[in-house]
Amino acid sequence: MYKARAYSVSSATSPFASSTIERRDPTENDVQIEILFCGICHSDLHQARNEWSGLMPTVYPCVPGHEILGRVVKIGSAVKKFKAGDLAAVGCLVDSDRTCPECKAGLEQYCPNMVLTYNFPDKHLGGVTYGGYSESVVVDERFVLHVPGNLDPAGAAPLLCAGITTYSPMHHWGVTKGKKVGVVGLGGLGHMGVKFSHALGAETVVFTTSPGKKEDALRLGADEVVISRNADEIQKQAGSFDFILDAVAADHDVNAYINLLRRDGNFVMVGAPEKPLPVSVFGLLFKRRSFSGSLIGGIPETQEMLDFCGKHNITSDVEVIPIQKVNEAYERLVKSDVKYRFSIDMASLKAE
Ligand code: NAP
Ligand code: ZN
């Protein structure tokens, strides 16, 4: 066991503060990673503030962070995929039972015994797992990813959640050239959705509540931008979409978007608002539309996504911040004021 510096919250209302956590020494299959960058996902904020208290109550102290990119510093005796000095990444998953049908299918995110990167029971040290707002992490190599060397590391970190969470449903629902895709909410997830949809050749329309993001949306790859505060503007697109990805973190009207789908179109929710959303069944019956959800992605698909990003030179647009600015970053995240992901430069933690 060794001590690692980290930033943690001690209650739903307290700010982040510098702290020390314990990490296990690498066992035979483990990789020890020195963290270079960690993205800030809106899920980190939901969890730190206990906004998902019904489903996943937060255990304090809490160290969030599941967009982890770093360098391997130590490996266990049986590790095969990594060596010291390699770039390596960890996303939302650090373990699963490896035997269930989901694990066998490479869909570890749907394993009933998956272990998330933070706030999940830690079978090694007891207590809960601690995430990437830290200088170091130790993870079984099965859950560690290779990062293409051509990608900017600060911008590649968010691929581990924002990237895979948008790539996976697009892949599953067959987004490709000739399809019309909507992306609702131009935040961390949404802007990756736009990049992937564009890279896959689909016609891409962004729905945003922020008129100031229009130019950026076009630059990121959107063909059209609709300001979603205006219901008439939304309805002009009725019945025209094959697929809509909703990445909104707050309460909002999803029925307006379901009505934009054509026959057999699919609306997938990846945003995880605190409260249930009312869905009009009639919106689904007519045109045999479907409404679905999607959770991050499995380990093989995450590697596939990283390789796709390496090939197409896709990274997240990031604002790099020192960890000392994490409280300020959270306040801005609540106001949809980030372009388009905060990436924490973990060298700032060493300077403390
Ligand atoms: P984010 O960066 O804060 O982006 C959310 C975007 O939603 C905002 O930028 C804003 O875009 C839009 N928005 C915010 N408030 C709104 C409102 N009241 N009405 C309509 N639109 C609003 O968050 P994120 O990190 O991308 O995460 C988005 C959600 O996905 C969170 O709930 C997160 O927990 C969840 N998530 C789910 C998974 C999964 O596996 N399913 C994985 C990661 C995250 P505009 O300014 O363009 O309107
Ligand atoms: Zn996330």
Side-chain angles (χ1 to χ4, degrees):
M1 218 153 60
Y2 67 97
K3 294 205 180 300
R5 278 172 287 196
Y7 259 54
S8 64
V9 280
S10 54
S11 79
T13 49
S14 39
F16 278 92
S18 183
S19 66
T20 304
I21 55 170
E22 283 173 348
R23 298 289 195 191
R24 67 180 184 268
D25 291 316
T27 61
E28 59 174 4
N29 295 309
D30 283 338
V31 173
Q32 183 178 330
I33 298 167
E34 180 198 8
I35 302 176
L36 300 174
F37 291 96
C38 183
I40 298 181
C41 178
H42 208 115
S43 300
D44 298 353
L45 187 151
H46 290 305
Q47 195 75 67
R49 297 185 175 178
N50 204 15
E51 290 176 355
W52 294 332
S53 56
L55 199 64
M56 292 202 281
T58 307
V59 177
Y60 295 99
C62 173
V63 179
H66 56 207
E67 295 183 336
I68 301 170
L69 188 144
R71 211 165 272 291
V72 175
V73 289
K74 215 189 253 185
I75 56 167
S77 57
V79 168
K80 292 195 180 64
K81 280 168 40 187
F82 294 91
K83 58 179 188 324
D86 285 353
L87 270 184
V90 177
C92 304
L93 296 164
V94 290
D95 207 354
S96 66
D97 65 26
R98 306 161 195 219
T99 53
C100 72
E102 328 302 336
C103 286
K104 285 188 177 148
L107 297 168
E108 298 89 348
Q109 76 274 34
Y110 302 120
C111 167
N113 299 306
M114 68 168 172
V115 179
L116 294 178
T117 304
Y118 57 82
N119 200 57
F120 251 63
D122 182 342
K123 72 176 181 199
H124 297 271
L125 296 180
V128 290
T129 49
Y130 293 131
Y133 297 5
S134 169
E135 62 185 338
S136 165
V137 69
V138 178
V139 178
D140 188 304
E141 71 164 334
R142 193 182 187 287
F143 294 85
V144 182
L145 289 308
H146 288 284
V147 183
N150 61 314
L151 297 179
D152 163 54
L159 298 176
L160 277 297
C161 176
I164 185 60
T165 302
T166 51
Y167 179 91
S168 181
M170 289 200 182
H171 201 216
H172 180 74
W173 292 98
V175 168
T176 185
K177 197 169 161 48
K179 304 273 183 187
K180 185 168 174 184
V181 169
V183 176
V184 186
L186 198 66
L189 265 60
H191 95 291
M192 290 311 305
V194 173
K195 290 190 182 204
F196 286 132
S197 175
H198 178 70
L200 292 165
E203 180 186 348
T204 307
V205 180
V206 166
F207 295 90
T208 176
T209 60
S210 310
K213 293 181 181 173
K214 185 171 178 179
E215 293 308 315
D216 281 342
L218 295 169
R219 174 180 57 78
L220 292 164
D223 298 289
E224 200 179 334
V225 182
V226 176
I227 307 304
S228 56
R229 299 260 184 231
N230 185 337
D232 291 343
E233 285 301 308
I234 297 182
Q235 283 319 308
K236 276 188 195 159
Q237 307 267 345
S240 66
F241 285 85
D242 297 286
F243 177 82
I244 298 176
L245 181 92
D246 186 323
V248 173
D251 195 13
H252 63 296
D253 177 22
V254 292
N255 297 302
Y257 296 105
I258 291 171
N259 283 328
L260 304 190
L261 295 169
R262 57 166 60 119
R263 175 174 56 77
D264 290 330
N266 178 256
F267 177 95
V268 65
M269 195 70 217
V270 288
E274 198 178 337
K275 299 196 185 84
L277 299 167
V279 174
S280 155
V281 170
F282 277 86
L284 300 175
L285 302 183
F286 286 87
K287 298 191 190 292
R288 198 167 54 189
R289 295 157 169 149
S290 59
F291 179 95
S292 64
S294 187
L295 185 71
I296 47 174
I299 297 301
E301 197 177 34
T302 304
Q303 189 62 61
E304 179 191 306
M305 178 275 309
L306 285 166
D307 296 343
F308 179 87
C309 289
K311 195 168 157 208
H312 297 270
N313 209 14
I314 293 174
T315 52
S316 175
D317 284 26
V318 287
E319 289 190 42
V320 177
I321 58 161
I323 197 152
Q324 292 78 9
K325 292 232 158 139
V326 67
N327 291 307
E328 200 180 299
Y330 270 44
E331 290 319 308
R332 286 185 50 201
L333 195 56
V334 176
K335 295 182 201 138
S336 306
D337 172 27
V338 47
K339 289 187 171 176
Y340 280 86
R341 199 61 146 182
F342 290 112
S343 186
I344 306 168
D345 181 352
M346 225 41 89
S348 58
L349 191 52
K350 294 210 183 316
E352 291 217 329

